[in-house]
Amino acid sequence: MRRTSRRLKPFLAVSALLVALAAPLAVAQTVPATPAAAWPKTVAIPADPALEERIRQLLARMTLEQKVAQMVQPDIRSVTPADVRRYHLGSILNGGGAFPANEKHATIADWVKLADEFYDASMAPGEGAVAIPIFWGTDAVHGHNNVIGATLFPHNIGLGAARDPDLMEKIGAATAQEVAATGIDWAFAPTVAVVRDDHWGRTYEGYSEDPELVSAYAGRMVRGLQGAAGTPAFLDGTHVLATAKHYIGDGGTKAGVDRGDNVADEQLLLDIHGQGYVSALNAGVQTVMVSYNSWQGWKMHGHQYLITEVLKKRMGFDGLVVSDWNGIDEVQGCSKDSCAAAVKAGIDLFMVPEDWQRFLANTIGQVKSGDIPQERIDDAVARILRVKIRAGLFDKGRPSTRPLANKNGIVGAADHRELARQAVRESLVLLKNGGVLPLKPRARVLVAGDGADNIGKQAGGWTISWQGTGNANADFPGATSIYAGIRAAVTAAGGTAELAPDGSHTRRPDVAIVVFGENPYAEYEGNVKALSLPNGSADLALLRKLKKAGIPVVAVLINGRPMWVKEHIDAADAFVVAWLPGTEGAGIADVLFRNPAGAVRFDFRGKLSFSWPKDGSQAPLNVHDDGYDPLFPFGFGLAYAERGSR
Ligand code: BGC
Ligand code: BGC
């Protein structure tokens, strides 16, 4: 079932003990009388009295059991359509690595069929119960990444370097179409984390260390996914619900520890970590996911002040707040199947992937015993219904009958792939060019490094599986590895491209392109102590070996965070940061090579959205810091007209 890293286990054991000791002492969290920061009021969708009346009528017909069941979101590995019919469950998700019938190679038709089965179960709830359409959420965080054959865009860290908010909206729209094609209603994206310490295993899920850039992107991505609020496109059949996550402060924990403590004061919490939410809420985002982290020692999943006072009241968020995967377990005195404190704090929908049945019974019991006020349940369910009504779920019909469902050519569509390839081109950051780039394609090109022909590696975490591991190139139909893209560009011009991960060659090439970097990871599995490459010395030896043989060397780094690679940069003639480009590896050759006639096809335009460290321990390192002294500053990125490095 749920994997727990070896590194995390001793920590979990100790914290479980501490929680057990602390539980009887758990006190109610103190809510500041006046907020210490001016959280802005946001408005995207004006109140609609008819809609509110419809919610009231639905609520009036629901039993307590049915209401609480609306608040529950199990994972498809642990729930069946029969359960949905029996308990009237309101939502499901597929976590990373969950597929219909546990079949990784499930087809689009399989996804839609399962969506129909759950939908049908929700609409035939049996005697006396109100039929409320279920909704299904998925982590479409860089395209519809759990689905074989989907277009995978660069992870957010690469999109940040592209500095192109218009592109975000297009990527959101393309992603929404691919999600809708599988009959799914909701994407758990965008991540609007402002990443302040790159030791964090989720650094690549963030657009930037800079709140301004995150703010410029968040709303546009939401608009792309959901359609523009106030227009007929909003949540129509080609759009899906979006989620701003993880509320709040996930990117600012001490030492970048996943699920750790963010100790910023309230003004900084708003100015840095809050900006993505302001932007997403103003674009009408309908759901917000709570974070695993704490703020000043208090776990967010139990944080009434930040969830209810700040997000819902001050900022005026009227959509639904969803918990993260077993996130309630993080709260002092709670477990995976029981957490009155989280309900009272203001969470509306509970991602209780496995222990949903006990959570349901426990929560119903807590309402009956008066521990959870009935009004809190009514508010939570009203919010869930509001979002379902706005998403048109009562009118859209069975998933298979919706406009894009099962439609050929949507998942992995040629125009989506073209968009992703454009995003790859725009995301590349050139750190050094000794004059070797741009390359002539009519040449003998050696392509080396373990990342050259490895689509799983170039796609990173949250790719088919949760950690992005265990995938082969055959798991990515329609995708292009970096090597395949180079080969296509070179052979079209009459050159040759030879693949040799270890750099071996029989005839001396005109140039070597070496692709190397981090292997896929997600969440806490990706936490690191130092920003150095896992296989760094072998990669360095390869660069040096080729260089020593007199071959011009172009280094291409695959990375989910800035890394200490000074020696690699020194060893190469040109150094390109490719981040985690996704399925369209051809975007790299587009920029590295001239066209057959000798003209530059695409210049570099990526600019660092994260500061680049001078050594493996230089973190936190963020633009506007006192004494800011990076190797490459925020905003750095060469174009062809500018030679050199630092
Ligand atoms: C992650 C979320 C994700 C959820 C569902 C959690 O572990 O933190 O980002 O949406 O799992 O897969
Ligand atoms: C699930 C992921 C989830 C993670 C949380 C995994 O087992 O598949 O979706 O985010 O656990 O820790």
Side-chain angles (χ1 to χ4, degrees), residues 516-600:
F516 60 98
E518 289 191 296
N519 293 316
Y521 54 78
E523 299 192 49
Y524 44 81
E525 302 265 355
N527 288 351
V528 290
K529 293 253 157 59
L531 303 174
S532 48
L533 282 171
N535 200 28
S537 46
D539 298 325
L540 185 59
L542 176 57
L543 295 171
R544 285 181 174 159
K545 183 177 84 181
L546 293 165
K547 186 82 181 112
K548 207 163 155 215
I551 304 163
V553 175
V554 177
V556 175
L557 183 67
I558 293 181
N559 55 319
R561 49 165 66 95
M563 314 223 58
W564 180 69
V565 284
K566 178 76 172 75
E567 292 170 298
H568 302 73
I569 296 172
D570 290 344
D573 295 289
F575 197 97
V576 176
V577 179
W579 315 108
L580 300 167
T583 52
E584 305 317 305
I588 288 152
D590 286 347
V591 182
L592 296 187
F593 287 92
R594 298 172 182 275
N595 72 11
V600 169

Side-chain angles (χ1 to χ4, degrees), residues 453-534:
D453 194 33
N454 188 337
I455 301 172
K457 180 160 175 146
Q458 77 193 36
W462 296 107
T463 295
I464 309 178
S465 63
W466 174 41
Q467 293 289 323
T469 47
N471 299 316
N473 282 1
D475 292 322
F476 298 93
T480 306
S481 73
I482 294 173
Y483 161 67
I486 293 170
R487 187 186 53 203
V490 168
T491 53
T496 60
E498 187 187 345
L499 175 68
D502 66 356
S504 57
H505 51 276
T506 39
R507 260 183 76 186
R508 193 174 163 281
D510 299 320
V511 65
I513 301 173
V514 184
V515 188
F516 60 98
E518 289 191 296
N519 293 316
Y521 54 78
E523 299 192 49
Y524 44 81
E525 302 265 355
N527 288 351
V528 290
K529 293 253 157 59
L531 303 174
S532 48
L533 282 171

Side-chain angles (χ1 to χ4, degrees), residues 93-96 139 188 202 205 245-246 259 289 292 324-325 351 462 466 523:
L93 88 148
N94 65 301
D139 289 298
F188 298 136
R202 309 191 77 157
E205 294 187 59
K245 73 185 188 184
H246 308 82
R259 309 187 175 196
M289 189 184 292
Y292 288 122
D324 202 345
W325 180 280
M351 194 188 288
W462 296 107
W466 174 41
E523 299 192 49

